[in-house]
Amino acid sequence: MDDFSDRIIDWQRRHGRHTLPWQNTHDPYRIWLSEIMLQQTQVATVIPYYERFLQRFPTIVDLARAPEEDVMALWAGLGYYSRARNLHACARRVDTEWNGRFPPDAAAIAELPGIGRSTAAAIAAFAYGERSPILDGNVKRVFARYFGIEGDPTKRPVEMRMWALAETHLPPPGPDAADAMRSYTQGLMDLGATLCTRGNPDCGVCPVRAGCVALREARQHELPTPRERKAVPERRTGMLVIEKAGEILLQRRPSPGIWGGLWSLPEFPGDDAAAACLTLGVTAAAAARLPTFSHGFTHFKLHIEPWHVQAGALALRDDGVPQIWLPAGELEGAALPAPVKKLLQGLFRRGELL
Ligand code: SF4
């Protein structure tokens, strides 16, 4: 028996999480949806999105056949929008190539859009009890500490070493392997999320403390080896909050790309908001600069310089970019990037719009 997996399984069954909305099901659709939403996002943030998604799209076929607009609207606010586009593309592939049923093993699941090796393994473990290892960010942290692995876990050689350990320490095959795999996979996730946390690991109650190299050598705060920090590039953009008769002008962002498929404010590169309006076919009756704010993306930081424009004459140009006038009352449910929605909500709340 593998002491590591045994301890994780036993701990998960007694102390792990059992009541999350995506647990206690073997439905790969529900499991997949939760796994994608949970990437880079906290459980508490995901739960309401997950429930709204399932209400609107009870099956993967419902999701596959929905307009992209509806999918993006439900995703708006969760961030990392390529996940939503891949989610939709994946549902369509399952609908057309797999007759609406999820592929039957991790290798085939990993061929679908937006699903990496670890996510495919998690889906196959929870749905089918397949013996396939996971290695997400939390598990890498646990492994780096428990096995005392030096080096940046995002680098290929370190990652390959971890994958090899992940394979070696799976629960053994046998009649109980499917149940064991479910508990073990969930246990690794729970351990990383609740005990072996980044800042303050709770080693005193950890089920694998007896064999943990980091604990033995008091190196929990050195492992995993931090990633080399590179300076984050910065960009700036002007945004136009063009207001006309109680409505705001929005344009659809090109997809793929940052905020692709979402509705957002027209952008312009310089400082001349009135001239930028004219290129859209809007004559500004008044333009006022609003406070600059910043939004962090994975690879750069965006400084947004918004302008509030009262539209005078309108002769909107059709340059192929879809645009709409959004009434204030529809702001809440609209598929807008989170910082843009926050900007508009703040302006409405303070009575600076309409
Ligand atoms: S003993 Fe501490 S550092 Fe080691 S795996 Fe457990 S929580 Fe993490």
Side-chain angles (χ1 to χ4, degrees):
M1 295 294 265
D2 186 305
D3 191 51
F4 180 77
S5 64
D6 268 357
R7 284 174 186 271
I8 299 269
I9 290 168
D10 183 58
W11 173 78
Q12 203 289 325
R13 288 180 179 165
R14 287 192 289 137
H15 303 291
R17 299 176 293 185
H18 294 273
T19 55
L20 296 171
W22 43 85
Q23 291 182 302
N24 307 309
T25 176
H26 294 172
D27 178 352
Y29 168 55
R30 288 168 178 253
I31 294 162
W32 161 68
L33 185 61
S34 71
E35 289 296 325
I36 302 298
M37 287 187 164
L38 286 164
Q39 289 168 358
Q40 333 258 10
T41 312
Q42 301 285 325
V43 165
T45 308
V46 165
I47 289 175
Y49 281 89
Y50 177 78
E51 288 172 345
R52 278 197 296 271
F53 247 78
L54 281 180
Q55 222 167 21
R56 170 73 178 78
F57 311 119
T59 69
I60 196 164
V61 174
D62 296 319
L63 174 59
R65 298 181 187 178
E68 186 182 75
E69 172 96 26
D70 290 12
V71 179
M72 298 309 288
L74 275 183
W75 194 276
L78 256 188
Y80 300 95
Y81 294 96
S82 59
R83 291 185 296 172
R85 285 190 295 277
N86 278 329
L87 192 85
H88 201 205
C90 178
R92 287 180 166 167
R93 283 266 295 274
V94 172
D95 186 21
T96 53
E97 292 176 20
W98 292 90
N99 212 12
R101 296 177 71 84
F102 236 82
D105 55 50
I109 294 171
E111 297 293 315
L112 295 169
I115 303 184
R117 180 176 170 185
S118 183
T119 302
I123 296 166
F126 290 134
Y128 314 133
E130 183 177 321
R131 286 184 71 251
S132 194
I134 61 163
L135 190 65
D136 62 13
N138 279 351
V139 178
K140 284 179 178 173
R141 185 170 58 251
V142 172
F143 278 16
R145 287 173 174 164
Y146 181 83
F147 296 108
I149 300 172
E150 307 265 359
D152 176 354
T154 63
K155 297 277 188 249
R156 188 96 181 130
V158 180
E159 197 179 28
M160 293 316 289
R161 204 175 146 202
M162 288 185 172
W163 273 116
L165 284 165
E167 293 274 3
T168 309
H169 289 277
L170 284 175
D176 300 328
D179 269 355
M181 267 313 296
R182 292 188 175 101
S183 300
Y184 176 67
T185 305
Q186 186 65 54
L188 279 179
M189 292 177 172
D190 292 351
L191 185 64
T194 64
L195 293 187
C196 197
T197 54
R198 195 185 310 268
N200 196 19
D202 197 354
C203 303
V205 292
C206 175
V208 293
R209 63 188 176 280
C212 178
V213 172
L215 174 62
R216 189 165 62 238
E217 298 176 359
R219 298 178 62 215
Q220 297 97 316
H221 295 285
E222 287 168 32
L223 295 172
T225 307
R227 195 191 301 197
E228 221 177 280
R229 288 261 164 237
K230 290 199 195 112
V232 182
E234 305 200 14
R235 295 185 201 165
R236 65 166 293 279
T237 186
M239 280 193 185
L240 296 167
V241 184
I242 301 175
E243 183 184 350
K244 173 82 180 165
E247 298 179 331
I248 301 290
L249 181 66
L250 297 179
Q251 293 183 328
R252 190 128 186 233
R253 304 273 313 182
S255 178
I258 299 293
W259 297 330
L262 297 185
W263 291 100
S264 189
L265 297 167
E267 293 186 29
F268 67 106
D271 283 323
D272 192 342
C277 284
L278 279 179
T279 65
L280 296 167
V282 176
T283 304
R289 191 161 179 166
L290 299 166
T292 298
F293 63 100
S294 302
H295 182 72
F297 291 93
T298 332
H299 302 299
F300 68 96
K301 188 170 185 181
L302 184 65
H303 301 289
I304 299 169
E305 297 164 2
W307 287 78
H308 178 203
V309 175
Q310 295 284 355
L314 284 179
L316 280 188
R317 307 238 161 94
D318 183 5
D319 54 4
V321 180
Q323 41 196 16
I324 53 166
W325 288 93
L326 183 80
E330 293 177 19
L331 180 61
E332 201 57 50
L336 265 58
V340 173
K341 189 178 267 191
K342 208 165 144 194
L343 165 71
L344 293 176
Q345 283 169 332
L347 292 171
F348 281 122
R349 209 174 32 249
R350 292 193 298 275
E352 291 174 40
L353 284 184
L354 312 174

